[in-house]
């Protein structure tokens, strides 16, 4: 028996008890991921940079502030409408720098290939990475390749790391949200997760649905240039919008209230979620960000964002409140209110 | 049939023809790795930083020179005498910065975990990484964790990236070796590869043999402080001493001549190699480096190196010559001469 079952807990299985083996949910971006981070990684590597728990670290180098981030990509399938593991591995890491307020500059790429991978697949992935680098304004300057035996990997895993210049004098951080601040979302949610799911399961929900995987450098720069009141930004990837908002609420010690009716979502994503019993608030995005902005700057931020193709459907979806500190509450279309938790288990493994 | 068989080539199977699928040898650090790099990665990502083909890139940031490197670690088994995948992942990346002449500062770590990995193994690996960071003088500032299904990974893969300050005004580069320069090796070869092999195969050659995995920051700093004539340094990991020397010979357009009798090697490593039919010049090292040094500075470099516990057995093993440009020639103990090629296939998969 693994310790992740909790037979004595009855109707209240949370908080998740510590497990003795790694579960798929430890890679979900939700509660189990956070538990792994807090119980295994943070105590070991304890230092002020890592402890900030931003998606990138800001460290001093030669008197300047350097932004540094890393992510592994294990998405399955390798190719999907709107991108592939290569473009995703560039966009994801570039976005972690951009939402931290840095100008992305350099990328590294480390490949773990499974013996027998068709060379044509690798060439296609690499070409797609290079196109994504060019679109993102970064240069891939160093890399590595390892090969594992058949059945010890799964085609290709890619780890990209990114270095950027933290040019802004202001400090963006997830602990800076304050009551009264507004929550802005840069566009419709769930496109990436539902696209991956539909390809993986062979379900065709609707023609034309694609992953939203894209570099967020341009819309973020427009928004930051237009207003100074941005507290923090995050891209709601694994774990979706709900997990990101929960992280901000906890880190800042504030409540967050969002309105279901204001959250942009495509009809085919909504339909697929209803059909499959998924909550779109937990579905992964790869080309969206959430910004917490001072109330007086929210209109300016929205206006600037909407000037960019990747922010055209940006919306004000809620606000930071003093009540229910550390919790996120959703006002539903029909007037109800419910607490939106962090993702508890694993919704869609290997989404990124 | 995969294209890596070459039925028409008769007695001359080299150069290796392009293959249509990824082979284990593409991760060897030898000729197939180089082919993959030149045929797939370099043409796609073509830029002056990557094209330098050093194990780290030196890039400008805010008027300073920044060193940036990455490596994935897929070693099997995860735990071995002298270290584990965690310490190896720290030392390997720190060493890539150090041999480039940089002061290692910050590390990122991205974990790809296989579902079912015992949490105790992960804790042990993470503790070992932290100890290695402290010994190396680096801080692990950012990270990521993904989980793949059982049978789609192999316990743990770790990708570390490193950032360092390129403090030296001199430029170290593999294309700077010149006829007359001396070749220095920091200590005995083959310990890591033979240790991994013996654990993996359940062979006990001799008690006491351990991986040489270690951070090379201290001996390198002592050597660089003592003399200005260092042309380049490399750590002979995958592909061993012979592949590293071949890379230098080719990049610099010079010949290299080494003397078998001068190459330090432990008796148990030599014995194991003879027993198994392995050439120790191709066996991986994880705590050694090769330096090409101007003739007049070689004694100073050796003396400085020998002051450090990790350079105590440093030796002058050969020199750079005008003849046979691009090739490495070994003078054997019995007076013969033979060309030492780059590793052609795969000697020991998943050695690091």
């Amino acid at each position: 028996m693994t310790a992740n079952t909790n037979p004595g807990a009855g109707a209240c299985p949370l908080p998740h008890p510590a497990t003795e083996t790694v579960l798929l949910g430890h890679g979900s971006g939700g509660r189990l991921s956070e538990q792994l981070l807090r119980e295994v990684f943070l105590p070991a590597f304890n230092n002020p940079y890592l402890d900030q728990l931003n998606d990138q670290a800001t460290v001093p180098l030669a008197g300047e502030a350097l932004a540094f981030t890393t992510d592994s990509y294990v998405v399955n399938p390798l190719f999907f409408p709107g991108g592939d593991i290569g473009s995703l591995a560039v966009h994801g890491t570039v976005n972690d720098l951009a939402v931290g307020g840095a100008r992305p500059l350099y990328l590294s790429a480390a490949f773990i290939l499974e013996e027998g991978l068709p060379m044509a697949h690798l060439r296609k992935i690499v070409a797609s990475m290079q196109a994504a680098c060019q679109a993102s304004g970064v240069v891939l300057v160093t890399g590595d390749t390892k090969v594992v035996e058949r059945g010890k990997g799964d085609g290709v895993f890619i780890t990209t790391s990114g270095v950027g210049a933290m040019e802004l004098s202001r400090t963006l951080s997830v602990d800076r949200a304050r009551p009264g601040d507004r929550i802005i979302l840069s566009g419709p949610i769930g496109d990436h997760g539902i696209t991956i799911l539909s390809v993986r399961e062979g379900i065709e929900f609707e023609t034309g649905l694609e992953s939203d995987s894209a570099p967020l450098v341009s819309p973020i720069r427009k928004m930051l240039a237009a207003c100074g009141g941005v507290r923090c930004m995050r891209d709601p990837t694994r774990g979706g919008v709900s997990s990101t908002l929960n992280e901000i609420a906890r880190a800042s010690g504030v409540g967050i209230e969002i309105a279901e009716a204001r959250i942009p979502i495509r009809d085919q994503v909504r339909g697929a979620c209803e059909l499959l019993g998924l909550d779109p608030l937990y579905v992964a995005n790869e080309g969206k960000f959430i910004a917490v902005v001072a109330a007086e700057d929210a209109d300016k931020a929205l206006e600037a964002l909407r000037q960019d193709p990747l922010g055209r459907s940006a919306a004000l979806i809620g606000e930071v409140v003093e009540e229910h500190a550390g919790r996120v509450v959703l006002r539903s279309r029909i007037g109800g209110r419910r607490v939106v938790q962090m993702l508890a288990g694993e919704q869609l493994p290997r989404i990124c």
Side-chain angles (χ1 to χ4, degrees), chain A:
Chain A
M1 187 188 103
T2 58
N4 66 312
T5 57
N6 192 4
C12 180
L14 304 169
H16 217 294
T19 66
E20 284 160 25
T21 60
V22 169
L23 309 174
L24 277 176
H26 283 118
S28 66
R31 197 171 309 184
L32 274 172
S33 297
E34 204 203 2
Q35 190 177 31
L36 186 66
L37 188 66
R38 292 196 186 277
E39 292 180 5
V40 176
F41 293 111
L42 291 186
F45 296 121
N46 174 43
N47 67 67
Y49 307 114
L50 193 64
D51 291 351
Q52 286 167 20
L53 290 185
N54 284 312
D55 281 341
Q56 89 299 330
T58 302
V59 292
L61 187 98
E64 302 288 329
L66 179 85
F68 186 25
T69 190
T70 194
D71 263 311
S72 286
Y73 297 85
V74 299
V75 66
N76 171 28
L78 298 175
F79 302 95
F80 47 82
D84 59 36
I85 191 172
S87 53
L88 190 67
V90 172
H91 295 151
T93 293
V94 161
N95 290 348
D96 278 346
L97 294 173
V99 297
R103 186 161 61 96
L105 292 172
Y106 306 111
L107 234 59
S108 68
F111 297 82
I112 299 175
L113 309 178
E114 186 188 9
E115 183 187 15
L117 175 78
M119 202 59 86
H121 290 191
L122 183 59
R123 287 182 194 276
K124 192 173 164 188
I125 288 164
V126 164
S128 156
M129 290 183 81
Q130 173 61 0
C133 282
Q134 286 179 327
S136 309
V138 294
V139 185
L140 194 149
V141 297
T142 190
D144 181 51
T145 307
K146 296 292 192 305
V147 182
V148 296
E149 306 90 335
R150 253 173 234 270
K152 300 292 185 183
D154 196 13
V156 189
F157 301 143
I158 304 176
T159 302
T160 48
S161 299
V163 164
M166 191 57 83
E167 291 173 323
L168 302 166
S169 54
R170 63 187 138 196
T171 308
L172 302 168
S173 185
V174 282
D175 58 5
R176 295 193 64 227
R178 294 289 171 265
D181 289 349
R182 301 296 193 256
I183 311 290
I184 288 174
L185 175 63
S186 69
I189 63 171
D191 295 3
H192 179 73
I194 296 300
T195 299
I196 295 295
L197 184 67
S198 63
V199 178
R200 199 185 292 170
E201 307 297 339
I203 309 167
E204 289 279 339
F205 294 115
E206 181 97 19
T207 52
L209 186 61
E210 287 192 342
S211 167
D212 60 343
S213 177
L216 294 169
V217 181
S218 167
I220 284 175
R221 287 183 82 82
K222 288 197 177 96
M223 185 184 73
L224 291 176
C227 66
V230 179
R231 314 295 197 196
C232 68
M233 295 178 282
R234 276 271 171 129
D235 51 338
T237 56
R238 282 185 296 177
V241 165
S242 62
S243 297
T244 297
L245 291 177
N246 269 283
E247 281 174 45
I248 296 171
R250 280 193 214 176
S252 295
V254 296
I256 289 179
E257 200 164 306
I258 54 174
E260 188 177 22
R262 292 185 167 202
I263 299 169
I265 179 167
R266 294 182 207 281
D267 288 342
Q268 58 264 55
V269 171
R270 191 197 312 276
C273 285
E274 283 171 6
L275 197 67
L276 297 164
L278 295 174
D279 184 338
L281 287 173
Y282 294 100
V283 177
N285 311 277
E286 292 292 341
K288 299 299 175 321
F289 68 95
I290 285 170
V292 180
V293 183
E296 64 273 21
D297 274 354
D299 287 342
K300 270 186 283 183
L302 269 176
E303 196 182 325
L305 258 180
R306 287 174 181 156
Q307 302 302 312
D308 193 277
L310 290 171
R312 196 159 289 147
S313 310
L316 197 158
I317 64 163
E319 64 188 291
V320 179
V321 296
E322 285 194 43
E323 299 77 42
H324 52 81
R327 280 172 180 270
V328 179
V329 168
L330 178 86
R331 273 182 285 120
S332 76
R333 287 170 197 278
I334 53 169
R337 288 164 59 92
R338 66 175 170 96
V339 172
V340 177
Q341 306 266 11
M342 212 167 209
L343 182 61
E346 174 60 290
Q347 193 189 51
L348 299 169
R350 298 183 56 190
I351 204 72
C352 62

